Amino acid sequence: MKPIIKYIIVLFTIVSFGQDINFTTQNLSINKHIDGTLLMPNKLNATTLAILIADSGPTDRDGNQNFQKNNVLKKLAEGLSNQNIATFRYDKRIVKQIRKGNVDPNISFVDFVNDAIAVIDYFKSQNSYSKIIIIGHGQGSLVGLVASKVNVDQFISLAGSGKSIDNVIIDQIAQMDPALIKDTKLAFESLKKGQLTKDYPQALSGIFSSDVQPFIMSWMQYNPQELIKNLEIPTLIINGTKDLQVPVSEAELLKNASPDATFKLISNMNHVLFIIDGKELENSKSYNESFRTISSELITELITFIRN
């Protein structure tokens, strides 16, 4: 290809993509724990803000981890902001700690809740948006449920579990090795009483190691069904039918607990919000395929709920 032709093609590509961007970007530090990105629609009448809360693990503001890059939260934020809804997404506090090489061994689930509340309070105090929405993805759904008691106008659970984390783990173990269920339940019973335990199946040492138990203990105290039942704001529950991590039955538990909530299943959408036409191998590989686009139906459903 001749250099001048190649240059024209590259320039045309940049211009074409630029026409699809209807927002400006601002990086913000909410406090010493929270750094994030605010997308502000270019239209002057953008009065709604959606705060995106990430899934489990050391997940950054774009929805990525070290060995998992799909940009799911970045794509979600851009999809909403292109439709005149401001968005803020942020790194989980452990991401910043890892980058600085100073991970807090006492980090708890409550810290994630407090971070979400700090973000909500920050934007509420700015008085820039008349409507604040929480969109929690995966574990972020539970974080958002706890944080949405005040100063939030709508809540969206995106691939959120309907069970507490101890019951999620027990269900997974039942599928892997039913012989471990009894000892696993006994270990969780100790944690429920606030007591660390050394009596657990050694095959599950990754879950019950002494440094992980306090975090699990703080996480398992929250029951998503109880929380969503008592949430007094408009609620949307969305799940994909090809979610390998959170089956449709989990979303149905949330819906049963909150009959007034809007409920939507998106055919063939997986946990990272991609449409999967193939089987499990394609599904698993997609977690690290950032070239994919997220479900357009998902964006449509979110926009419809938010505007109504």
Side-chain angles (χ1 to χ4, degrees):
M1 182 181 291
K2 294 181 180 181
I4 186 64
I5 296 176
K6 183 176 181 180
Y7 173 77
I8 292 172
I9 291 174
V10 171
L11 180 62
F12 178 78
T13 302
I14 292 172
V15 172
S16 296
F17 280 123
Q19 291 174 344
D20 293 332
I21 297 175
N22 299 310
F23 54 81
T24 55
T25 301
Q26 179 182 358
N27 291 324
L28 289 176
S29 288
I30 303 299
N31 58 34
K32 66 179 181 178
H33 298 299
I34 309 166
D35 297 327
T37 299
L38 175 67
L39 301 186
M40 298 167 289
N42 295 334
K43 293 182 180 180
L44 296 178
N45 62 338
T47 59
T48 299
L49 172 72
I51 298 170
L52 313 185
I53 305 179
D55 202 353
S56 59
T59 308
D60 69 17
R61 71 189 73 182
D62 293 336
N64 301 326
Q65 300 182 18
N66 279 345
F67 302 103
Q68 178 180 303
K69 185 173 182 180
N70 46 58
N71 286 328
V72 57
L73 293 185
K74 181 180 180 181
K75 293 173 183 179
L76 178 59
E78 290 176 348
L80 293 173
S81 292
N82 272 327
Q83 296 296 320
N84 205 34
I85 294 172
T87 59
F88 181 76
R89 64 191 195 275
Y90 60 95
D91 301 326
K92 295 178 73 172
R93 69 163 61 190
I94 194 171
V95 172
K96 191 171 186 178
Q97 293 173 1
I98 290 172
R99 289 171 180 166
K100 291 187 173 183
N102 186 26
V103 176
D104 181 2
N106 298 315
I107 194 168
S108 75
F109 188 85
V110 176
D111 290 325
F112 297 152
V113 173
N114 289 337
D115 289 345
I117 292 173
V119 172
I120 294 166
D121 290 347
Y122 171 85
F123 284 105
K124 189 69 176 179
S125 69
Q126 297 298 302
N127 290 321
S128 298
Y129 302 99
S130 60
K131 187 176 182 180
I132 293 178
I133 300 151
I134 291 295
I135 302 178
H137 178 232
Q139 184 195 69
S141 171
L142 181 58
V143 173
L145 275 171
V146 184
S148 294
K149 294 179 181 178
V150 295
N151 294 331
V152 174
D153 299 288
Q154 291 179 313
F155 172 76
I156 298 171
S157 173
L158 190 52
S161 176
K163 300 189 187 81
S164 58
I165 188 58
D166 52 322
N167 286 314
V168 170
I169 292 172
I170 289 170
D171 286 350
Q172 291 174 348
I173 290 170
Q175 297 176 23
M176 294 166 47
D177 189 349
L180 300 177
I181 293 177
K182 181 179 178 181
D183 289 340
T184 301
K185 288 183 176 180
L186 290 174
F188 278 128
E189 286 300 322
S190 293
L191 297 185
K192 283 180 182 178
K193 297 174 183 176
Q195 301 171 353
L196 301 183
T197 180
K198 295 181 179 179
D199 297 325
Y200 56 83
Q202 288 307 303
L204 303 179
S205 58
I207 297 172
F208 291 109
S209 61
S210 57
D211 57 333
V212 174
Q213 284 188 40
F215 183 83
I216 295 291
M217 193 184 299
S218 69
W219 186 356
M220 62 188 285
Q221 68 178 297
Y222 296 107
N223 183 332
Q225 294 177 62
E226 289 296 320
L227 289 165
I228 203 167
K229 179 173 68 175
N230 295 314
L231 198 61
E232 297 180 349
I233 55 177
T235 299
L236 170 64
I237 301 163
I238 294 187
N239 221 86
T241 63
K242 283 195 174 180
D243 194 320
L244 295 174
Q245 294 175 240
V246 183
V248 168
S249 58
E250 295 288 314
E252 290 171 340
L253 288 174
L254 293 177
K255 172 59 177 172
N256 291 338
S258 180
D260 292 334
T262 303
F263 181 71
K264 179 66 181 179
L265 298 179
I266 297 183
S267 181
N268 295 328
M269 187 176 78
N270 74 354
H271 191 70
V272 290
L273 316 182
F274 298 146
I275 297 299
I276 302 299
D277 295 320
K279 296 185 179 180
E280 189 168 320
L281 178 60
E282 179 192 352
N283 200 336
S284 299
K285 287 175 63 180
S286 73
Y287 280 59
N288 201 35
E289 294 179 337
S290 58
F291 63 83
R292 290 178 177 264
T293 57
I294 65 171
S295 165
S296 59
E297 183 182 355
L298 169 65
I299 297 296
T300 299
E301 291 295 335
L302 294 175
I303 295 295
T304 299
F305 174 76
I306 290 169
R307 289 179 176 166
N308 290 339

